[in-house]
Short mmCIF file of all heavy atoms in Angstrom, two decimals:
data_model
loop_
_atom_site.label_atom_id
_atom_site.label_comp_id
_atom_site.label_asym_id
_atom_site.label_seq_id
_atom_site.Cartn_x
_atom_site.Cartn_y
_atom_site.Cartn_z
N VAL Q 9 130.75 136.26 46.30
CA VAL Q 9 129.35 136.48 46.71
C VAL Q 9 128.59 135.16 46.75
O VAL Q 9 128.67 134.39 45.80
CB VAL Q 9 128.65 137.43 45.69
CG1 VAL Q 9 127.20 137.68 46.08
CG2 VAL Q 9 129.41 138.75 45.60
N ALA Q 22 112.62 136.88 58.69
CA ALA Q 22 112.85 137.84 59.79
C ALA Q 22 111.86 138.99 59.70
O ALA Q 22 111.31 139.38 60.74
CB ALA Q 22 114.31 138.37 59.70
N SER Q 48 104.55 135.73 78.57
CA SER Q 48 104.28 136.49 77.35
C SER Q 48 105.52 137.23 76.88
O SER Q 48 105.90 137.15 75.70
CB SER Q 48 103.16 137.50 77.59
OG SER Q 48 101.99 136.82 77.89
N THR Q 62 118.27 137.64 65.21
CA THR Q 62 119.26 136.57 64.85
C THR Q 62 119.07 136.11 63.42
O THR Q 62 120.04 135.89 62.67
CB THR Q 62 119.12 135.38 65.83
OG1 THR Q 62 119.35 135.87 67.15
CG2 THR Q 62 120.12 134.27 65.52
N ILE Q 65 120.52 138.77 61.23
CA ILE Q 65 121.98 138.82 61.38
C ILE Q 65 122.63 137.64 60.68
O ILE Q 65 123.64 137.78 59.96
CB ILE Q 65 122.38 138.87 62.87
CG1 ILE Q 65 122.13 140.29 63.43
CG2 ILE Q 65 123.83 138.49 63.10
CD1 ILE Q 65 122.48 140.47 64.88
N ILE Q 73 130.11 137.71 55.38
CA ILE Q 73 131.34 136.99 55.81
C ILE Q 73 132.34 136.89 54.65
O ILE Q 73 133.55 137.13 54.86
CB ILE Q 73 130.97 135.63 56.40
CG1 ILE Q 73 130.54 135.81 57.86
CG2 ILE Q 73 132.09 134.62 56.34
CD1 ILE Q 73 131.59 136.38 58.82
N SER Q 83 130.28 126.45 53.51
CA SER Q 83 129.25 125.54 53.02
C SER Q 83 127.89 126.19 52.91
O SER Q 83 127.39 126.74 53.91
CB SER Q 83 129.16 124.32 53.92
OG SER Q 83 127.96 123.60 53.64
N GLY Q 111 108.51 121.84 79.32
CA GLY Q 111 108.86 120.44 79.24
C GLY Q 111 109.50 120.14 77.91
O GLY Q 111 110.34 120.87 77.41
N PHE Q 142 144.75 138.04 61.14
CA PHE Q 142 144.59 138.54 62.51
C PHE Q 142 144.34 140.01 62.49
O PHE Q 142 145.18 140.81 62.88
CB PHE Q 142 145.83 138.19 63.35
CG PHE Q 142 145.99 136.69 63.57
CD1 PHE Q 142 146.91 135.98 62.79
CD2 PHE Q 142 145.21 136.02 64.45
CE1 PHE Q 142 147.06 134.64 62.96
CE2 PHE Q 142 145.34 134.65 64.62
CZ PHE Q 142 146.26 133.96 63.88
N LEU Q 164 120.10 126.78 77.10
CA LEU Q 164 119.75 125.34 77.19
C LEU Q 164 119.82 124.84 78.61
O LEU Q 164 118.99 124.08 79.07
CB LEU Q 164 120.77 124.57 76.30
CG LEU Q 164 120.27 123.26 75.68
CD1 LEU Q 164 119.02 123.46 74.87
CD2 LEU Q 164 121.37 122.65 74.79
N ASN Q 173 116.52 120.83 87.82
CA ASN Q 173 117.30 121.51 88.86
C ASN Q 173 118.65 120.86 89.17
O ASN Q 173 118.98 120.62 90.29
CB ASN Q 173 116.45 121.60 90.13
CG ASN Q 173 116.68 122.89 90.85
OD1 ASN Q 173 117.33 123.78 90.31
ND2 ASN Q 173 116.13 123.01 92.06
N LYS Q 184 120.91 136.03 83.62
CA LYS Q 184 121.85 137.15 83.46
C LYS Q 184 122.95 136.78 82.49
O LYS Q 184 123.33 137.57 81.62
CB LYS Q 184 122.46 137.53 84.82
CG LYS Q 184 121.52 138.37 85.68
CD LYS Q 184 122.19 138.63 87.01
CE LYS Q 184 121.20 139.24 87.99
NZ LYS Q 184 121.67 139.19 89.39
N GLY Q 201 132.19 144.12 64.77
CA GLY Q 201 133.07 143.48 63.76
C GLY Q 201 132.62 143.82 62.35
O GLY Q 201 133.41 144.24 61.52
N ILE Q 222 140.57 147.97 69.32
CA ILE Q 222 141.33 146.99 70.14
C ILE Q 222 140.99 147.18 71.64
O ILE Q 222 140.71 146.25 72.36
CB ILE Q 222 142.83 147.12 69.87
CG1 ILE Q 222 143.16 146.74 68.40
CG2 ILE Q 222 143.66 146.24 70.84
CD1 ILE Q 222 144.52 147.08 67.93
N GLY Q 235 132.27 139.52 84.57
CA GLY Q 235 130.89 139.57 85.02
C GLY Q 235 130.32 138.22 85.30
O GLY Q 235 129.64 138.00 86.31
N VAL Q 239 129.05 136.79 88.83
CA VAL Q 239 127.65 136.31 89.01
C VAL Q 239 127.68 134.91 89.61
O VAL Q 239 126.96 134.61 90.58
CB VAL Q 239 126.87 136.33 87.69
CG1 VAL Q 239 125.58 135.51 87.80
CG2 VAL Q 239 126.54 137.76 87.26
N GLN Q 302 122.51 149.80 87.96
CA GLN Q 302 123.53 149.32 88.89
C GLN Q 302 123.74 150.26 90.08
O GLN Q 302 123.89 149.83 91.21
CB GLN Q 302 124.85 149.15 88.12
CG GLN Q 302 125.88 148.34 88.87
CD GLN Q 302 125.40 146.95 89.20
OE1 GLN Q 302 124.73 146.30 88.42
NE2 GLN Q 302 125.68 146.51 90.40
N LEU Q 319 115.18 145.80 76.17
CA LEU Q 319 114.28 146.40 75.16
C LEU Q 319 114.95 147.51 74.35
O LEU Q 319 114.86 147.57 73.13
CB LEU Q 319 113.06 147.00 75.85
CG LEU Q 319 111.90 146.07 76.06
CD1 LEU Q 319 110.79 146.83 76.77
CD2 LEU Q 319 111.38 145.49 74.76
N GLY Q 332 118.15 150.20 58.87
CA GLY Q 332 119.00 151.02 58.02
C GLY Q 332 119.89 150.17 57.10
O GLY Q 332 119.94 150.40 55.89
N THR Q 337 122.48 146.41 52.02
CA THR Q 337 123.11 145.13 51.68
C THR Q 337 122.19 144.24 50.85
O THR Q 337 122.62 143.71 49.83
CB THR Q 337 123.51 144.36 52.97
OG1 THR Q 337 122.35 144.28 53.82
CG2 THR Q 337 124.61 145.09 53.74
N VAL Q 395 100.87 151.62 73.90
CA VAL Q 395 100.10 151.17 72.73
C VAL Q 395 100.39 152.03 71.50
O VAL Q 395 100.61 151.51 70.42
CB VAL Q 395 98.57 151.22 73.07
CG1 VAL Q 395 97.75 150.95 71.85
CG2 VAL Q 395 98.24 150.19 74.14
N LEU Q 417 111.29 139.76 45.78
CA LEU Q 417 110.51 139.29 44.65
C LEU Q 417 110.74 140.09 43.36
O LEU Q 417 110.00 139.97 42.41
CB LEU Q 417 109.01 139.35 45.00
CG LEU Q 417 108.61 138.54 46.25
CD1 LEU Q 417 107.14 138.78 46.59
CD2 LEU Q 417 108.85 137.04 46.05
N VAL Q 422 111.60 142.76 30.91
CA VAL Q 422 112.29 142.48 29.66
C VAL Q 422 112.10 143.67 28.69
O VAL Q 422 110.97 144.08 28.44
CB VAL Q 422 111.76 141.17 28.99
CG1 VAL Q 422 112.50 140.91 27.70
CG2 VAL Q 422 111.90 140.02 29.98
#
Side-chain angles (χ1 to χ4, degrees):
Chain Q
V9 181
S48 296
T62 302
I65 284 181
I73 279 297
S83 166
F142 293 102
L164 209 55
N173 216 7
K184 282 178 191 165
I222 295 168
V239 165
Q302 194 59 39
L319 272 180
T337 54
V395 172
L417 303 174
V422 181

